[in-house]
Amino acid sequence: MSDHTLPLSPAHLAAFGPDFVWGVATSAFQIEGASTEDGRGASIWDTFCAQPGKIADGSDGSVACDHYHRLEADLDLIAGLGVDAYRFSVAWPRVQPLGSGDWNPPGLAFYDRLVDGLLARGIRPYLTLNHWDLPEALQQQGGWAARATVDHFVAYARGIARHFAGRVVSIATHNEPWVVAILGNETGIFAPGIQDRAVAMQVAHHLLLSHGKALQALRVDGCAAELGIVLNLAPIHAASEAPEDLAAARLSDGRLLRWFMDPLFRGAYPTDVLEHLGADAPQVLPGDLELICQPMDFLGVNYYSRSVVGAAGLVEAKSLGNPLTDMDWEIYPAGLDELLQRLHRDYPLPAVYITENGAAFADQCHDGRVRDTARVDYLARHLEASANAILAGVPLRGYMVWSLLDNFEWASGYLKRFGIVHVDYATQQRTLKDSALWYRDFLHGQHERSAA
Ligand code: IFM
């Protein structure tokens, strides 16, 4: 038993309801390792990690959590938490090494073992097709900036959906297209490391287009899984009421949230952002926006913090007065409720899932125990905010903790720990942190309440 008490009120606990889906989330590149085994092709993240200075600790994804070789034990670990669902991603270059053409049977077999192992343990598989690890072979042909990549993605999506038909309950096309476009192609701090705003916006458009085309194709194929996309969203607050700060915050909201939500749910890009981009706006062909605006079964929302923006740029989180995580992200649970209610007000939402929420802290493992009180508090307060959103009418249907395991945190390497399970990278020993014990007890309580 964890020795934390539950800070949620009975009304908050009841808000979730018996069908609410509780889960944990990971992604392929961050945990699998085995990056050159069994026919896996290279991804853009393998290439990026190999470039000196790109990853804070000089590390890469070649071993990560060695999940590829520890699958059965990790599945038992997931089952032991009592979750309903496990959100994972398929590494495109593991199943289709060049991103088009031949499939790789050993790669597919790994995900067969994963999906069947989840089902055998009574856990629902939530699959993400693209969690950033684009096959390097496609990057060589222009990556997401090339329109041909859209059709390669659709073929990949169809192959995966057919292969796992009847076994996965949910398929998300992309995880956080803003990150792929902006951090990967405008600021260049993520793979593939390009610094070009026009390229970034073309990438964003092609990601959205590939989402819409894939959804359309999967529906034609009779895919029965719930279909949707996962966005990283946040409230953007203005640094002050001054008109120039308000305008900067509005533009920032346009680039993060409305750039993705408007075409997905309204079939149009926001005009203020298009005007701001000028010549850097993407090339959009007739019919593209209709394709992007497909009906969706769910919207996945990844929430970590808010942003405060002024005319001078992003206000440093440490000046805002709230506690920070180890990423220097402000802890701001009220932003989750605010965000969900705003989405509900502004868009015709399908079912919403919090597909990621969690925090990195500098955890220490002593005598087999990790006392990550701050993470327990973070999770509990965000669950409270989630319950508030449900009580306000938001169609929130599920919540997944990011992340099951400490893992490869992209440009931060292994320096930042997001897991509710501690990983000792030297031994690959897994240790349930207090937050995992707390989540397990919380879920046990929720399941008992539902059964009563
Ligand atoms: O680790 C990432 C994940 O891959 C995508 N969403 C944010 C997480 C924390 O940075």
Side-chain angles (χ1 to χ4, degrees), residues 237-247 309-310:
H237 293 164
S240 81
E241 292 301 309
E244 55 277 19
D245 286 342
L246 289 169
V309 173

Side-chain angles (χ1 to χ4, degrees), residues 65-401:
C65 304
D66 198 30
H67 173 69
Y68 190 77
H69 297 119
R70 292 164 196 268
L71 179 61
E72 286 297 317
D74 285 346
L75 288 171
D76 288 342
L77 192 67
I78 299 167
L81 296 173
V83 292
D84 306 306
Y86 176 56
R87 175 174 178 248
F88 66 97
S89 74
V90 171
W92 186 355
R94 194 181 288 291
V95 296
Q96 199 179 27
L98 298 179
S100 62
D102 288 346
W103 293 85
N104 180 36
L108 287 166
F110 169 72
Y111 296 107
D112 283 333
R113 291 196 298 281
L114 169 54
V115 167
D116 294 344
L118 290 170
L119 293 172
R121 290 166 177 81
I123 301 164
R124 280 172 258 169
Y126 278 58
L127 184 154
T128 300
L129 289 163
N130 171 33
H131 200 120
W132 308 353
D133 43 3
L134 182 74
E136 174 61 28
L138 292 185
Q139 187 62 42
Q140 295 304 317
Q141 297 160 46
W144 285 110
R147 201 170 165 101
T149 301
V150 171
D151 292 325
H152 293 315
F153 178 78
V154 174
Y156 158 63
R158 293 180 87 165
I160 291 297
R162 280 195 201 128
H163 186 85
F164 292 103
R167 291 190 284 161
V168 298
V169 300
S170 163
I171 299 179
T173 50
H174 299 292
N175 183 73
E176 303 183 353
W178 179 91
V179 171
V180 176
I182 306 302
L183 302 190
N185 294 277
E186 183 170 334
T187 68
I189 61 168
F190 278 13
I194 292 167
Q195 293 178 314
D196 184 323
R197 189 171 74 165
V199 170
M201 298 322 290
Q202 197 63 53
V203 164
H205 177 63
H206 286 158
L207 287 163
L208 286 166
L209 183 62
S210 69
H211 156 84
K213 284 186 101 171
L215 250 59
Q216 193 182 54
L218 296 196
R219 292 230 159 83
V220 168
D221 288 352
C223 176
E226 287 183 6
L227 303 177
I229 193 168
V230 173
L231 304 180
N232 55 306
L233 300 175
I236 311 277
H237 293 164
S240 81
E241 292 301 309
E244 55 277 19
D245 286 342
L246 289 169
R250 174 85 184 145
L251 177 62
S252 184
D253 173 76
R255 294 206 64 194
L256 175 74
L257 189 146
R258 290 180 288 117
W259 184 264
F260 296 92
M261 289 295 290
D262 281 16
L264 287 167
F265 290 100
R266 297 181 181 161
Y269 283 119
T271 46
D272 60 330
V273 183
L274 284 172
E275 266 167 38
H276 165 80
L277 291 171
D280 288 345
Q283 192 188 22
V284 178
L285 299 190
D288 282 3
L289 283 155
E290 289 74 16
L291 280 166
I292 292 171
C293 186
Q294 295 292 316
M296 279 195 271
D297 300 311
F298 73 91
L299 171 70
V301 174
N302 293 352
Y303 177 80
Y304 289 91
S305 188
R306 68 165 169 171
S307 295
V308 180
V309 173
L314 189 66
V315 176
E316 274 196 44
K318 65 171 178 265
S319 71
L320 298 172
N322 285 318
L324 306 182
T325 71
D326 199 30
M327 298 292 284
D328 283 342
W329 296 347
E330 183 193 16
I331 300 178
Y332 194 76
L336 177 54
D337 180 19
E338 178 188 329
L339 170 70
L340 292 173
Q341 291 205 45
R342 182 263 177 108
L343 294 175
H344 182 46
R345 205 171 39 243
D346 289 358
Y347 300 95
L349 293 182
V352 177
Y353 292 83
I354 309 293
T355 31
E356 289 182 23
N357 176 238
F361 291 106
D363 304 313
Q364 304 284 337
C365 187
H366 291 302
D367 301 326
R369 179 132 186 222
V370 182
R371 298 172 192 271
D372 58 337
T373 323
R375 185 175 289 103
V376 174
D377 188 59
Y378 180 101
L379 295 176
R381 292 174 65 201
H382 284 80
L383 289 182
E384 197 173 31
S386 305
N388 284 334
I390 295 172
L391 293 171
V394 175
L396 184 61
R397 303 282 182 257
Y399 173 93
M400 322 241 175
V401 174

